[in-house]
Amino acid sequence: MVGSTGFVGGHLRTGMVRGGWDVVTVDRSGSTRGDLVAVLEATLARSAPDVVVVCAGATAGSRHRLRRANVDLAGRLAGVVARARPRPRLVHLGSAAEYGAVSAPGPCREDAAAVPTTDYGWSKLAGTRAVLAAMPAAVVLRATTVIGPGCRGFLGSFCRQVALEGPQGVVHVGSLAAARDFVDVADLAAAVVAVAGAPTARPGVYNVGTGRAVPLGHVVERVRAITGFRGRVVSDRPSASTSAGIATQFSDVAKVRRAFGWTPSVPLDASIRATWERARADGLAGAEQVQAAGTVPG
């Protein structure tokens, strides 16, 4: 697995281990030059894995950084996998931000015209194309808004602020007018396991989501109900850079269900509760560290 140290990668690694896979991680610490491509090449020669899962990349930064992390690196990694003998199956993590603002009503299908609205979306779309050009047999899982313990984005930020400010505090968010397809990171991990373990895998792009758009205002109300937050919510922050300018976004998941038998199973409330519990635990741990740092021995 390439990219196992971030939020998504860490959960994917856990999900694959629970699914019975022996997971070998690839990161820059394995090379004095920090070259993931070189580390992966050496790992393939040494371990000859059946599957390579790539979830490395960047969600923010300059266009140059996004291109280097999401396009150039993705294509080079796919090229290494394509040249390996025996050649493993490649599963690459894409993003629903690749679609942009789809004009057709209903959920996005994989054959929808992709016109991203952000630099991140463009970089992920170019990365998908680079991966499939380097290794046409690759499977790209185009995930929607991924949530769960430790997530960033709207839900993660909201829960961390509630943990910090308390039940009567003030939470600052972006516009609540949008609606998103929130998929739990455990469900995404299950999709990766399903693709990895399938007897055959038809290459191409597959959506991974829930197939429904949830208004952000509804998420706020569920967070209130689950956490007991009774404070104010102020919409005075910019929208998320990965999907700015998109009012509603959700994905059709029929293709991945037909091909790999995968369907989402984690309810939204369960995802919110797990995200909140992690945020609260992290907040308590942080407070204890601050308290300990300020303690002067008598």
Side-chain angles (χ1 to χ4, degrees):
M1 174 177 289
V2 184
S4 63
T5 58
F7 159 63
V8 171
H11 282 281
L12 294 193
R13 181 182 184 279
T14 298
M16 293 203 74
V17 170
R18 288 175 177 171
W21 290 86
D22 181 13
V23 179
V24 177
T25 59
V26 173
D27 57 47
R28 288 184 173 85
S29 64
S31 169
T32 56
R33 296 184 302 149
D35 187 347
L36 275 178
V37 176
V39 179
L40 176 60
E41 197 163 26
T43 303
L44 292 177
R46 181 175 63 252
S47 302
D50 297 309
V51 180
V52 173
V53 179
V54 175
C55 49
T59 58
S62 66
R63 290 184 179 181
H64 174 71
R65 179 172 185 266
L66 289 169
R67 179 167 192 85
R68 186 175 59 189
N70 297 339
V71 185
D72 299 340
L73 177 61
R76 292 174 64 205
L77 291 170
V80 168
V81 177
R83 293 190 296 273
R85 295 294 180 271
R87 188 174 70 183
R89 181 174 298 172
L90 174 60
V91 183
H92 175 84
L93 268 290
S95 169
E98 298 173 41
Y99 289 118
V102 176
S103 58
C108 291
R109 289 179 26 170
E110 289 83 353
D111 57 1
V115 186
T117 59
T118 64
D119 290 340
Y120 170 76
W122 279 111
S123 71
K124 291 298 291 182
L125 177 61
T128 290
R129 291 170 174 169
V131 166
L132 292 175
M135 186 172 172
V139 171
V140 176
L141 297 182
R142 198 171 266 170
T144 57
T145 302
V146 185
I147 59 175
C151 70
R152 313 304 294 180
F154 179 85
L155 178 60
S157 173
F158 197 111
C159 288
R160 283 188 294 276
Q161 289 186 73
V162 171
L164 179 65
E165 299 294 332
Q168 302 289 351
V170 178
V171 170
H172 297 267
V173 299
S175 171
L176 296 177
R180 293 289 179 265
D181 186 339
F182 293 99
V183 64
D184 192 272
V185 69
D187 276 335
L188 176 57
V192 172
V193 170
V195 175
T200 60
R202 186 173 181 179
V205 175
Y206 295 83
N207 290 333
V208 175
T210 66
R212 64 190 185 98
V214 178
L216 299 188
H218 176 73
V219 175
V220 168
E221 294 310 309
R222 296 315 304 152
V223 172
R224 285 187 182 277
I226 289 167
T227 67
F229 177 67
R230 299 180 296 278
R232 288 196 302 130
V233 177
V234 181
S235 299
D236 61 354
R237 289 188 172 179
S239 299
S241 60
T242 58
S243 56
I246 301 175
T248 300
Q249 187 178 69
F250 61 120
S251 296
D252 187 318
V253 294
K255 182 179 177 182
V256 71
R257 182 176 64 247
R258 291 193 302 266
F260 301 107
W262 175 88
T263 56
S265 63
V266 181
L268 178 62
D269 274 11
S271 297
I272 293 174
R273 185 170 290 106
T275 302
W276 160 243
E277 289 173 354
R278 171 67 66 82
R280 182 173 57 179
D282 290 347
L284 290 173
E288 290 174 356
Q289 289 177 359
V290 170
Q291 186 178 24
T295 300
V296 179

